[in-house]
Each structure stands twice: as C-alpha cells, then as structure tokens.
C-alpha cells in the first residue's frame, strides 16, 4: 500500500474515501488517494519559491 509506506486514516474518513472512490469508479481506495494527492501536489509544483508554496498551502487551508 502506498509504495511500502502505511498511512492510517480515521475510520470515518476511510468510509468517506471508500464511498467517493467507488462513485468515481476507482479500482481501489489506494488508487483514489494517490490520484487526489498527485493532483494537490501538481498545484504546488508550479511554484517558484518556498514562500509561494506556503501562500498556496494557506490558500488551500492546509496551513494557517
């Protein structure tokens, strides 16, 4: 799972992830989570500086 790393999710969050991954037609929860993370990281990869990354993360609500 996830390239050898294990990530634990809260059971309620996992239920939601399973629901949405099924609706979206993903073959597994892992595939759905991988796609979601890749999409979020791609939004950061266009950044020119660490400060720009921080601003984007703040805008997305990941840091305050």
């Amino acid at each position: 799972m996830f390239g050898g790393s294990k990530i634990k999710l809260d059971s309620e969050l996992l239920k939601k992830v399973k629901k949405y991954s099924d609706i979206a037609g993903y073959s597994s929860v892992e595939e759905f989570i991988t796609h979601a993370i890749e999409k979020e990281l791609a939004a950061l990869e266009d950044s020119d500086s660490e400060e720009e990354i921080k601003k984007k993360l703040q805008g997305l609500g990941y840091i305050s």
Side-chain angles (χ1 to χ4, degrees), residues 27-45:
S27 63
S28 68
V29 169
E30 290 84 3
E31 181 185 24
F32 177 74
I33 292 172
T34 298
H35 183 242
I37 292 172
E38 286 175 344
K39 187 175 177 182
E40 291 298 316
L41 292 178
L44 300 173
E45 289 178 344

Side-chain angles (χ1 to χ4, degrees), residues 17-57:
V17 172
K18 285 181 180 177
K19 175 183 173 183
Y20 295 124
S21 67
D22 288 344
I23 290 171
Y26 285 88
S27 63
S28 68
V29 169
E30 290 84 3
E31 181 185 24
F32 177 74
I33 292 172
T34 298
H35 183 242
I37 292 172
E38 286 175 344
K39 187 175 177 182
E40 291 298 316
L41 292 178
L44 300 173
E45 289 178 344
D46 295 339
S47 303
D48 293 327
S49 68
E50 190 171 310
E51 191 61 35
E52 187 178 345
I53 292 171
K54 286 180 182 178
K55 286 181 181 178
K56 286 182 177 180
L57 288 170

Side-chain angles (χ1 to χ4, degrees), residues 1-8 30:
M1 170 184 309
F2 299 112
S5 299
K6 292 183 179 182
I7 298 173
K8 290 187 176 185
E30 290 84 3

